[in-house]
Amino acid sequence: MFPASRYSIQAHRCIRALKTVPADHAAPQLYTVVHRRTCSSVTTPRITTHYTIHPRDKDPRWEGVEMERFADEADVVIVGGGPAGLSAAIRLKQLANEQEKELRVCLVEKASQIGAHTLSGACLEPSALIELFPDWKERGAPLHTPVTEDVFSILTEKYRIPVPMLPGLPMNNHGNYIVRLGNFVRWLGEQAEELGVELYPGYAAAEVLFHEDGSVKGIATNDVGIAKDGSPKDVFERGMELHAKVTMFGEGCHGHLAKQLYKQFNLRENCEPQTYAIGLKEVWTIDEKKWRPGRVEHSVGWPLNRNTYGGSFLYHLNEGEPLVALGFVVGLDYTNPYLSPFREFQRWKHHPFVAPTLEGGNRIAYGARALNEGGIQSIPKLTFPGGMLIGCSPGFMNVPKIKGTHTAMKSGMLAAESAFAKITDENLNSETTGLHVPEYAENLKKSWIWKELHAVRNIRPSFHNYFGLYGGMVYTGIFYWVLRGKEPWTLKHCGLDSAQLKPAKDCTPIEYPKPDGKISFDLLSSVALSGTNHEGDQPAHLTLKDDSVPVARNLAIYDGPEQRFCPAGVYEYVPLETGEGMRLQINAQNCVHCKTCDIKDPSQNINWVVPEGSGGPAYNGM
Amino acid sequence: MSGRVLVGVKRVIDYAVKIRVKPDHSGVVTDGVKHSMNPFCEIAVEEAVKLKEKKLIKEVVAVSCGPQQVQETIRTALAMGADRGIHVEVSGKDYDNMGPLQVSKIMAALAKKEEAQLVILGKQAIDDDCNQTGQMTAALLDWPQGTFASEVTLEGDKVKVVREIDGGLETIKINTPAVVTADLRLNTPRYATLPNIMKAKKKKIANVKPADLGVDMASRVEVLRVDEPPQRQAGMKVETVEDLVGKLKEAGRI
């Protein structure tokens, strides 16, 4: 449970007061790391044991352990079995079969089965699908629910202000389909296998490999059989190396390998930092009388204040039983460290416009994932020698449309086409052993992805004004709806999401209502519904660069926001067993791989790395 | 002795997934749900592979009964070290109604056909918790059985099995051919690593139908209805012992 967050405000202040008592210096709230160590009566317990923080070549427990890896060669290796990765794999094989060329395409995916880590609303715009498979209907693609009704509201605490869904507004859904993206991704996986792609779900890409000339050589999958304390178990085995001429990285929003690649190749020097939101989602079976298949509902406003970006979605699916997919998105540039996206989601469900749909219904699934909001301003350099970035990893989401699947798929297809041309070019004289395919970025800039993202580039940043949400809506109305995004300026974002939090003392805690167990629920029963699990005896994959920072900085200044923004209850501040004070407890087994902690940690101390493959959520048609 | 070991592996819903009952109460939802190899079957495969590595047996054959998807489970067994697989094709109503009786008949037929020296099974499956297949297989074959094994040692043409029983540990010596069922502490299964999964793609999986083995799949059991367990009611706190006795009397418990 959450002993820390269950304490009342007074108790919080007491705990903080107790910590300041041994200190006698001018600014009691500002704990530096050094200060904490010198005046605290307890030393920081060791939290992180992962080898990325404590290298094994210096660790005596690893002496003499066989570290050789088995290696295999492919033409293209794709990291990530989501819409982008699978579309790239499919396109590569389509081209290879058309031109009767041999091409070995290997795809690795950390989920135990394709689609198990996929989570999205989702309203799919079929443009990219039609390009990939013009005969998608005959092939049985699970697009069963065309959008029939589109409703947009601004919510206040008790009422609802309807907003007319005029054609031309970015979130107008005419011609789109409500899909269960997990099922759609599973179908893409089946198509890929039929075409001859080698799919390896259950194996996570843990390391990027480099040639001597610095180009990307491929990836290595995760090692298995490392104990929680970082020592090797009897069943320890090294991961495998997959070498390729071109490696495509489609890890989805905020990929951990992409994070390394940004640094390695300086890919972000000419773009803005990426900004994100967290999306939480549930699937419910509802009373048949309330079911209106094809109905799409979006809302903004309550329970968020006008300066916190976010909103809700509720889609009625048409797949046999009366199912709705609903969820809540909160921009991760929020400033109040007491905000809990999960609890905002739970309390939104009680709104008089939403609750009647859910009454008498049954919740059957829960999950969460971070998503990109940066748009065109935050797209990094997409190619580097030996590799390229596709899909939500660099981030092609059209934020006001709330759609990123079609652009992710298209980016995968463009990457495949450019890479294929280069790999099969017999007269190619590559400077580097890993092939560099800058044509991918050039083709992407000429495609409809770029036009689309360019037109909506100013909508999200327009929310950063005094009127917040309302300013943004006015801006959208004038510049997008009327002028189609043709204004000559490009607004900027505010900087890193992690730098936006205000210190806890400057903010008011939010009083959230208790979950009623019928419409709103507590965190732990929700996490159980995601089916998430990890092998317990492995190092926590939520690694801290410095184990003392959470208590010294995150808890001291921001009241431990990670215990609130994590949608899976991974982070808990618990009292120390001896002495006074708190320590951070990381319940790594609960992790649903949403990446929010890596994004929002105000100290940027948390580094999410991939756990043993096939761990994580077991989403079914999310 | 043929030196061949038959291992049964069952594809079950992953233990961490929250089970949902179908709206028509005829069973649980399995479509798209994460499945994996039954944990006790993993232990059984590991034991067989360990025996092969000690050169005490020559071949490990993995068997699974079910529809097309069980091939993934057989592949995992092959990646752990089994030499070849047998997929007994059972689908539709036959698969929904398949239970230990049908599986044990299939295992018995295959054990005879493959001239197996040893049949190793998991002690029970985590979906039905029947704990019957191993015992029924042994009875049909009229072979000795060593169930709930926490240690298995081959000694010539006999097997020494240490069994986990209610009273502690029981050590028995049985003749081969025999049936052994694996319990939790028998071993720690190895991971099916990617290079082994790739190699496993080249290993053979034979397809067989129950009719080819002379097995009648008709079920003797009909499932009438499946329900979720009733919601746990909140408890009540009482102040005194008299109150407690009074409340228990009220509820008709005493």
Side-chain angles (χ1 to χ4, degrees):
Chain A
M1 289 286 138
F2 292 112
S5 60
R6 291 254 167 97
Y7 292 166
S8 67
I9 318 301
Q10 284 81 359
H12 266 302
R13 293 212 191 100
C14 271
I15 291 169
R16 247 182 283 143
L18 284 170
K19 286 195 297 185
T20 60
V21 161
D24 41 38
H25 62 132
Q29 293 291 51
L30 262 158
Y31 274 14
T32 61
V33 170
V34 171
H35 162 77
R36 189 96 187 89
R37 280 208 202 100
T38 52
C39 77
S40 168
S41 57
V42 275
T43 49
T44 312
R46 165 121 137 181
I47 303 175
T48 304
T49 52
H50 201 273
Y51 62 81
T52 49
I53 306 285
H54 300 286
R56 288 174 290 195
D57 49 7
K58 301 191 181 64
D59 190 331
R61 300 170 300 185
W62 287 87
E63 258 193 68
V65 175
E66 180 59 60
M67 296 299 262
E68 269 282 322
R69 278 189 288 223
F70 185 76
D72 205 358
E73 300 278 333
D75 291 296
V76 181
V77 163
I78 300 176
V79 175
L86 288 168
S87 302
I90 290 170
R91 195 78 195 100
L92 279 167
K93 273 310 218 180
Q94 282 177 340
L95 289 165
N97 294 344
E98 264 169 48
Q99 301 186 22
E100 286 170 5
K101 291 211 159 83
E102 290 279 328
L103 196 74
R104 186 173 182 207
V105 180
C106 291
L107 188 150
V108 288
E109 161 60 45
K110 62 174 163 57
S112 56
Q113 51 193 53
I114 302 279
H117 286 186
T118 301
L119 183 141
S120 183
C123 276
L124 180 68
E125 201 183 280
S127 48
L129 176 63
I130 296 171
E131 283 185 36
L132 189 63
F133 287 120
D135 57 345
W136 58 264
K137 230 191 198 125
E138 289 82 40
R139 286 174 180 261
L143 274 65
H144 304 299
T145 314
V147 175
T148 54
E149 267 183 280
D150 218 336
V151 174
F152 195 88
S153 331
I154 303 177
L155 297 181
T156 63
E157 192 174 340
K158 295 201 189 63
Y159 303 105
R160 167 192 171 244
I161 306 167
V163 174
M165 192 45 59
L166 306 161
L169 273 176
M171 62 288 279
N172 183 298
N173 272 304
H174 184 73
N176 297 334
Y177 292 84
I178 306 173
V179 293
R180 297 178 72 173
L181 196 63
N183 291 347
F184 179 69
V185 167
R186 195 160 31 125
W187 173 83
L188 278 177
E190 288 162 15
Q191 305 307 306
E193 265 200 312
E194 264 178 47
L195 284 166
V197 176
E198 288 177 54
L199 293 178
Y200 295 114
Y203 297 97
E207 199 185 316
V208 183
L209 304 168
F210 297 95
H211 289 290
E212 276 179 12
D213 61 11
S215 60
V216 169
K217 185 164 148 183
I219 53 101
T221 60
N222 57 282
D223 294 346
V224 292
I226 306 179
K228 205 165 174 61
D229 63 6
S231 60
K233 294 194 279 196
D234 289 331
V235 286
F236 171 75
E237 270 197 65
R238 275 291 256 167
M240 175 177 163
E241 293 190 8
L242 279 171
H243 301 165
K245 303 190 178 99
V246 175
T247 309
M248 298 184 182
F249 293 87
E251 297 172 283
C253 176
H254 205 78
H256 76 110
L257 292 181
K259 199 174 169 187
Q260 290 173 30
L261 291 166
Y262 294 147
K263 270 211 219 91
Q264 180 82 15
F265 293 104
N266 215 358
L267 302 171
R268 300 205 75 99
E269 60 184 339
N270 290 323
C271 68
E272 287 195 48
Q274 183 65 261
T275 65
Y276 302 89
I278 178 176
L280 301 109
K281 178 180 172 182
E282 287 173 358
V283 178
W284 284 61
T285 51
I286 56 170
D287 188 343
E288 255 196 83
K289 296 187 222 67
K290 319 238 171 106
W291 183 42
R292 297 161 76 162
R295 182 177 164 92
V296 162
E297 289 175 27
H298 290 115
S299 83
V300 292
W302 190 84
L304 300 174
N305 65 28
R306 67 166 193 265
N307 290 108
T308 307
Y309 185 82
S312 74
F313 64 88
L314 198 153
Y315 304 146
H316 291 246
L317 287 153
N318 190 3
E319 300 196 356
E321 43 172 350
L323 278 182
V324 293
L326 65 149
F328 206 75
V329 174
V330 179
L332 285 177
D333 56 350
Y334 68 82
T335 53
N336 186 345
Y338 291 108
L339 192 141
S340 162
F342 173 78
R343 301 192 80 171
E344 298 288 351
F345 176 32
Q346 298 302 316
R347 85 167 154 167
W348 162 78
K349 284 188 280 177
H350 283 287
H351 190 275
F353 186 62
V354 184
T357 312
L358 300 177
E359 262 145 30
N362 214 11
R363 184 176 72 153
I364 61 171
Y366 164 83
R369 184 73 169 91
L371 48 127
N372 305 293
E373 299 218 312
I376 218 173
Q377 293 94 319
S378 303
I379 297 178
K381 199 154 166 287
L382 295 169
T383 64
F384 41 90
M388 43 229 280
L389 301 170
I390 57 175
C392 275
S393 182
F396 301 112
M397 181 165 159
N398 183 329
V399 178
K401 246 192 195 177
I402 329 172
K403 291 181 181 57
T405 311
H406 62 309
T407 47
M409 288 175 70
K410 180 67 176 165
S411 72
M413 290 155 65
L414 288 169
E417 286 157 9
S418 325
F420 184 79
K422 210 141 222 164
I423 294 174
T424 54
D425 182 355
E426 273 139 20
N427 302 318
L428 184 67
N429 252 323
S430 175
E431 286 178 358
T432 50
T433 323
L435 301 180
H436 190 190
V437 191
E439 293 79 4
Y440 160 53
E442 291 158 21
N443 292 341
L444 198 128
K445 292 203 172 86
K446 296 192 212 130
S447 73
W448 51 257
I449 299 180
W450 208 258
K451 281 197 210 54
E452 204 181 299
L453 293 179
H454 184 83
V456 298
R457 72 196 181 286
N458 285 325
I459 296 185
R460 177 68 176 92
S462 69
F463 282 70
H464 300 305
N465 64 74
Y466 180 72
F467 296 103
L469 168 70
Y470 304 109
M473 293 185 77
V474 167
Y475 186 95
T476 307
I478 301 171
F479 289 100
Y480 182 77
W481 193 59
V482 178
L483 294 177
R484 288 271 165 270
K486 292 200 171 60
E487 67 270 33
W489 57 81
T490 299
L491 298 175
K492 281 185 153 37
H493 299 296
C494 292
L496 281 173
D497 284 336
S498 52
Q500 304 304 318
L501 276 183
K502 295 208 188 92
K505 62 174 168 52
D506 297 335
C507 302
T508 30
I510 305 178
E511 286 288 325
Y512 288 106
K514 269 186 85 146
D516 73 346
K518 293 204 202 59
I519 295 193
S520 53
F521 300 90
D522 66 299
L523 185 61
L524 289 179
S525 62
S526 309
V527 176
L529 217 47
S530 69
T532 192
N533 196 23
H534 295 84
E535 160 61 53
D537 194 13
Q538 66 172 307
H541 63 279
L542 301 128
T543 64
L544 304 171
K545 293 190 204 133
D546 182 338
D547 280 351
S548 60
V549 166
V551 174
R553 207 166 169 270
N554 289 21
L555 186 61
I557 305 177
Y558 302 101
D559 198 46
E562 56 268 59
Q563 57 189 334
R564 295 189 192 89
F565 61 55
C566 175
V570 169
Y571 299 98
E572 277 187 275
Y573 282 97
V574 296
L576 286 164
E577 282 88 14
T578 53
E580 283 156 4
M582 308 285 265
R583 66 175 177 89
L584 178 65
Q585 178 170 287
I586 298 183
N587 306 315
Q589 273 181 284
N590 286 11
C591 181
V592 292
H593 298 205
C594 76
K595 315 294 176 66
T596 302
C597 55
D598 196 309
I599 295 166
K600 191 58 175 168
D601 177 13
S603 314
Q604 286 291 278
N605 189 38
I606 300 174
N607 196 35
W608 190 99
V609 298
V610 78
E612 277 179 18
S614 83
Y619 297 142
N620 182 11
M622 282 292 256
Chain B
M1 282 265 90
S2 73
R4 192 170 292 134
V5 171
L6 217 60
V7 181
V9 293
K10 186 175 182 187
R11 179 176 181 263
V12 297
I13 296 181
D14 187 84
Y15 73 93
V17 170
K18 258 248 150 49
I19 307 286
R20 186 161 77 98
V21 175
K22 282 197 203 151
D24 63 0
H25 293 275
S26 62
V28 300
V29 177
T30 53
D31 196 34
V33 174
K34 178 177 175 186
H35 283 71
S36 35
M37 191 191 291
N38 182 36
F40 296 107
C41 299
E42 283 181 0
I43 297 173
V45 173
E46 176 63 23
E47 195 58 25
V49 174
K50 273 198 163 71
L51 289 174
K52 191 173 89 157
E53 285 171 348
K54 289 191 206 144
K55 303 231 193 323
L56 296 168
I57 55 137
K58 295 207 206 75
E59 197 187 19
V60 177
V61 182
V63 180
S64 193
C65 309
Q68 184 62 19
Q69 293 96 312
V70 305
Q71 295 222 353
E72 289 163 23
T73 315
I74 302 177
R75 288 260 174 247
T76 310
L78 293 173
M80 286 171 74
D83 298 292
R84 59 186 168 89
I86 300 178
H87 171 200
V88 182
E89 290 167 12
V90 183
S91 51
K93 271 247 145 271
D94 278 347
Y95 180 60
D96 292 337
N97 295 331
M98 188 174 77
L101 183 60
Q102 290 78 18
V103 176
S104 55
K105 285 182 183 169
I106 292 172
M107 290 305 295
L110 281 172
K112 279 207 216 98
K113 186 156 169 261
E114 298 284 336
E115 292 172 346
Q117 178 181 344
L118 210 56
V119 174
I120 310 184
L121 304 170
K123 73 169 178 181
Q124 66 196 59
I126 60 169
D127 53 4
D128 56 21
D129 280 332
C130 282
N131 196 330
Q132 297 166 10
T133 309
Q135 292 85 337
M136 284 182 177
T137 311
L140 288 167
L141 289 164
D142 199 24
W143 287 5
Q145 55 183 268
T147 52
F148 309 102
S150 67
E151 211 184 297
V152 172
T153 329
L154 289 187
E155 291 174 358
D157 62 344
K158 294 202 204 303
V159 186
K160 185 174 91 175
V161 179
V162 178
R163 305 179 59 227
E164 292 199 15
I165 60 172
D166 288 347
L169 295 172
E170 180 191 56
T171 310
I172 60 171
K173 205 179 257 194
I174 52 179
N175 293 327
T176 51
V179 175
V180 170
T181 70
D183 206 327
L184 196 61
R185 279 159 278 270
L186 182 56
N187 59 49
T188 309
R190 67 195 62 192
Y191 288 84
T193 53
L194 186 56
N196 291 329
I197 287 273
M198 287 178 170
K199 284 188 205 139
K201 289 212 167 151
K202 304 199 183 79
K203 294 186 185 173
K204 279 183 112 39
I205 299 182
N207 290 317
V208 179
K209 292 203 174 46
D212 300 341
L213 300 167
V215 171
D216 165 28
M217 291 301 287
S219 177
R220 312 300 198 259
V221 174
E222 188 194 336
V223 172
L224 297 175
R225 192 182 159 92
V226 177
D227 278 307
E228 289 204 5
Q231 286 281 21
R232 192 151 173 226
Q233 297 299 323
M236 227 189 309
K237 270 197 163 144
V238 292
E239 297 294 307
T240 67
V241 176
E242 285 79 24
D243 272 347
L244 176 62
V245 174
K247 285 249 152 53
L248 286 170
K249 282 203 175 127
E250 256 175 63
R253 299 290 183 193
I254 51 169

PDB file of all heavy atoms in Angstrom, chain A residues 513-529:
ATOM      1  N   PRO A 513     -11.163  12.455  -4.275  1.00  0.00           N
ATOM      2  CA  PRO A 513     -12.179  11.634  -3.615  1.00  0.00           C
ATOM      3  C   PRO A 513     -11.729  10.179  -3.535  1.00  0.00           C
ATOM      4  O   PRO A 513     -10.949   9.713  -4.374  1.00  0.00           O
ATOM      5  CB  PRO A 513     -13.397  11.759  -4.545  1.00  0.00           C
ATOM      6  CG  PRO A 513     -12.845  12.144  -5.860  1.00  0.00           C
ATOM      7  CD  PRO A 513     -11.575  12.885  -5.622  1.00  0.00           C
ATOM      8  N   LYS A 514     -12.231   9.476  -2.539  1.00  0.00           N
ATOM      9  CA  LYS A 514     -11.885   8.053  -2.412  1.00  0.00           C
ATOM     10  C   LYS A 514     -12.565   7.274  -3.534  1.00  0.00           C
ATOM     11  O   LYS A 514     -13.704   7.581  -3.888  1.00  0.00           O
ATOM     12  CB  LYS A 514     -12.389   7.509  -1.069  1.00  0.00           C
ATOM     13  CG  LYS A 514     -11.369   7.606   0.058  1.00  0.00           C
ATOM     14  CD  LYS A 514     -11.903   6.904   1.298  1.00  0.00           C
ATOM     15  CE  LYS A 514     -11.584   5.419   1.186  1.00  0.00           C
ATOM     16  NZ  LYS A 514     -11.306   4.791   2.470  1.00  0.00           N
ATOM     17  N   PRO A 515     -11.901   6.252  -4.056  1.00  0.00           N
ATOM     18  CA  PRO A 515     -12.562   5.452  -5.103  1.00  0.00           C
ATOM     19  C   PRO A 515     -13.765   4.714  -4.525  1.00  0.00           C
ATOM     20  O   PRO A 515     -13.720   4.269  -3.390  1.00  0.00           O
ATOM     21  CB  PRO A 515     -11.475   4.468  -5.540  1.00  0.00           C
ATOM     22  CG  PRO A 515     -10.425   4.517  -4.496  1.00  0.00           C
ATOM     23  CD  PRO A 515     -10.534   5.797  -3.776  1.00  0.00           C
ATOM     24  N   ASP A 516     -14.845   4.615  -5.309  1.00  0.00           N
ATOM     25  CA  ASP A 516     -16.052   3.987  -4.776  1.00  0.00           C
ATOM     26  C   ASP A 516     -16.139   2.507  -5.094  1.00  0.00           C
ATOM     27  O   ASP A 516     -17.069   1.837  -4.695  1.00  0.00           O
ATOM     28  CB  ASP A 516     -17.314   4.716  -5.293  1.00  0.00           C
ATOM     29  CG  ASP A 516     -17.591   4.426  -6.769  1.00  0.00           C
ATOM     30  OD1 ASP A 516     -16.698   3.901  -7.475  1.00  0.00           O
ATOM     31  OD2 ASP A 516     -18.693   4.739  -7.234  1.00  0.00           O
ATOM     32  N   GLY A 517     -15.177   1.999  -5.835  1.00  0.00           N
ATOM     33  CA  GLY A 517     -15.154   0.565  -6.124  1.00  0.00           C
ATOM     34  C   GLY A 517     -16.145   0.140  -7.190  1.00  0.00           C
ATOM     35  O   GLY A 517     -16.205  -1.027  -7.552  1.00  0.00           O
ATOM     36  N   LYS A 518     -16.937   1.097  -7.700  1.00  0.00           N
ATOM     37  CA  LYS A 518     -17.881   0.718  -8.762  1.00  0.00           C
ATOM     38  C   LYS A 518     -17.529   1.448 -10.049  1.00  0.00           C
ATOM     39  O   LYS A 518     -17.593   0.883 -11.131  1.00  0.00           O
ATOM     40  CB  LYS A 518     -19.318   1.083  -8.357  1.00  0.00           C
ATOM     41  CG  LYS A 518     -19.831   0.271  -7.200  1.00  0.00           C
ATOM     42  CD  LYS A 518     -21.357   0.239  -7.218  1.00  0.00           C
ATOM     43  CE  LYS A 518     -21.921  -0.077  -5.854  1.00  0.00           C
ATOM     44  NZ  LYS A 518     -21.532   0.864  -4.791  1.00  0.00           N
ATOM     45  N   ILE A 519     -17.232   2.746  -9.929  1.00  0.00           N
ATOM     46  CA  ILE A 519     -16.867   3.510 -11.121  1.00  0.00           C
ATOM     47  C   ILE A 519     -15.395   3.905 -11.032  1.00  0.00           C
ATOM     48  O   ILE A 519     -14.675   3.874 -12.012  1.00  0.00           O
ATOM     49  CB  ILE A 519     -17.763   4.748 -11.266  1.00  0.00           C
ATOM     50  CG1 ILE A 519     -19.191   4.265 -11.521  1.00  0.00           C
ATOM     51  CG2 ILE A 519     -17.272   5.650 -12.368  1.00  0.00           C
ATOM     52  CD1 ILE A 519     -20.124   5.341 -11.977  1.00  0.00           C
ATOM     53  N   SER A 520     -14.954   4.268  -9.851  1.00  0.00           N
ATOM     54  CA  SER A 520     -13.548   4.603  -9.683  1.00  0.00           C
ATOM     55  C   SER A 520     -12.913   3.544  -8.797  1.00  0.00           C
ATOM     56  O   SER A 520     -13.585   2.909  -7.985  1.00  0.00           O
ATOM     57  CB  SER A 520     -13.397   5.982  -9.056  1.00  0.00           C
ATOM     58  OG  SER A 520     -14.159   6.055  -7.871  1.00  0.00           O
ATOM     59  N   PHE A 521     -11.622   3.357  -8.987  1.00  0.00           N
ATOM     60  CA  PHE A 521     -10.958   2.259  -8.306  1.00  0.00           C
ATOM     61  C   PHE A 521      -9.623   2.699  -7.760  1.00  0.00           C
ATOM     62  O   PHE A 521      -9.077   3.714  -8.150  1.00  0.00           O
ATOM     63  CB  PHE A 521     -10.739   1.089  -9.280  1.00  0.00           C
ATOM     64  CG  PHE A 521     -12.019   0.555  -9.841  1.00  0.00           C
ATOM     65  CD1 PHE A 521     -12.545   1.070 -11.006  1.00  0.00           C
ATOM     66  CD2 PHE A 521     -12.713  -0.442  -9.180  1.00  0.00           C
ATOM     67  CE1 PHE A 521     -13.742   0.598 -11.516  1.00  0.00           C
ATOM     68  CE2 PHE A 521     -13.899  -0.930  -9.683  1.00  0.00           C
ATOM     69  CZ  PHE A 521     -14.427  -0.399 -10.854  1.00  0.00           C
ATOM     70  N   ASP A 522      -9.071   1.869  -6.883  1.00  0.00           N
ATOM     71  CA  ASP A 522      -7.765   2.180  -6.317  1.00  0.00           C
ATOM     72  C   ASP A 522      -6.669   1.710  -7.273  1.00  0.00           C
ATOM     73  O   ASP A 522      -6.913   0.937  -8.188  1.00  0.00           O
ATOM     74  CB  ASP A 522      -7.605   1.494  -4.962  1.00  0.00           C
ATOM     75  CG  ASP A 522      -7.571  -0.014  -5.122  1.00  0.00           C
ATOM     76  OD1 ASP A 522      -8.576  -0.578  -5.623  1.00  0.00           O
ATOM     77  OD2 ASP A 522      -6.560  -0.631  -4.770  1.00  0.00           O
ATOM     78  N   LEU A 523      -5.469   2.171  -7.020  1.00  0.00           N
ATOM     79  CA  LEU A 523      -4.379   1.934  -7.963  1.00  0.00           C
ATOM     80  C   LEU A 523      -4.003   0.463  -8.069  1.00  0.00           C
ATOM     81  O   LEU A 523      -3.806  -0.055  -9.161  1.00  0.00           O
ATOM     82  CB  LEU A 523      -3.153   2.750  -7.537  1.00  0.00           C
ATOM     83  CG  LEU A 523      -1.970   2.706  -8.499  1.00  0.00           C
ATOM     84  CD1 LEU A 523      -2.347   3.264  -9.853  1.00  0.00           C
ATOM     85  CD2 LEU A 523      -0.813   3.514  -7.927  1.00  0.00           C
ATOM     86  N   LEU A 524      -3.899  -0.219  -6.930  1.00  0.00           N
ATOM     87  CA  LEU A 524      -3.348  -1.570  -6.989  1.00  0.00           C
ATOM     88  C   LEU A 524      -4.278  -2.558  -7.684  1.00  0.00           C
ATOM     89  O   LEU A 524      -3.824  -3.448  -8.407  1.00  0.00           O
ATOM     90  CB  LEU A 524      -2.964  -2.053  -5.586  1.00  0.00           C
ATOM     91  CG  LEU A 524      -1.741  -1.314  -5.047  1.00  0.00           C
ATOM     92  CD1 LEU A 524      -1.381  -1.789  -3.663  1.00  0.00           C
ATOM     93  CD2 LEU A 524      -0.547  -1.474  -5.964  1.00  0.00           C
ATOM     94  N   SER A 525      -5.606  -2.398  -7.490  1.00  0.00           N
ATOM     95  CA  SER A 525      -6.491  -3.321  -8.213  1.00  0.00           C
ATOM     96  C   SER A 525      -6.444  -3.009  -9.701  1.00  0.00           C
ATOM     97  O   SER A 525      -6.614  -3.891 -10.537  1.00  0.00           O
ATOM     98  CB  SER A 525      -7.915  -3.243  -7.681  1.00  0.00           C
ATOM     99  OG  SER A 525      -8.426  -1.957  -7.888  1.00  0.00           O
ATOM    100  N   SER A 526      -6.165  -1.738 -10.050  1.00  0.00           N
ATOM    101  CA  SER A 526      -6.047  -1.396 -11.467  1.00  0.00           C
ATOM    102  C   SER A 526      -4.811  -2.026 -12.069  1.00  0.00           C
ATOM    103  O   SER A 526      -4.845  -2.571 -13.176  1.00  0.00           O
ATOM    104  CB  SER A 526      -5.978   0.121 -11.643  1.00  0.00           C
ATOM    105  OG  SER A 526      -7.026   0.746 -10.954  1.00  0.00           O
ATOM    106  N   VAL A 527      -3.710  -1.960 -11.323  1.00  0.00           N
ATOM    107  CA  VAL A 527      -2.470  -2.528 -11.850  1.00  0.00           C
ATOM    108  C   VAL A 527      -2.629  -4.033 -12.052  1.00  0.00           C
ATOM    109  O   VAL A 527      -2.151  -4.590 -13.036  1.00  0.00           O
ATOM    110  CB  VAL A 527      -1.293  -2.249 -10.886  1.00  0.00           C
ATOM    111  CG1 VAL A 527      -0.028  -2.913 -11.387  1.00  0.00           C
ATOM    112  CG2 VAL A 527      -1.076  -0.771 -10.756  1.00  0.00           C
ATOM    113  N   ALA A 528      -3.344  -4.688 -11.127  1.00  0.00           N
ATOM    114  CA  ALA A 528      -3.548  -6.137 -11.271  1.00  0.00           C
ATOM    115  C   ALA A 528      -4.260  -6.445 -12.576  1.00  0.00           C
ATOM    116  O   ALA A 528      -3.990  -7.450 -13.227  1.00  0.00           O
ATOM    117  CB  ALA A 528      -4.346  -6.665 -10.092  1.00  0.00           C
ATOM    118  N   LEU A 529      -5.151  -5.538 -12.982  1.00  0.00           N
ATOM    119  CA  LEU A 529      -5.935  -5.752 -14.204  1.00  0.00           C
ATOM    120  C   LEU A 529      -5.084  -5.612 -15.460  1.00  0.00           C
ATOM    121  O   LEU A 529      -5.483  -6.054 -16.538  1.00  0.00           O
ATOM    122  CB  LEU A 529      -7.054  -4.709 -14.231  1.00  0.00           C
ATOM    123  CG  LEU A 529      -8.407  -5.101 -14.771  1.00  0.00           C
ATOM    124  CD1 LEU A 529      -8.863  -6.413 -14.186  1.00  0.00           C
ATOM    125  CD2 LEU A 529      -9.414  -4.026 -14.431  1.00  0.00           C
TER     126      LEU A 529
END
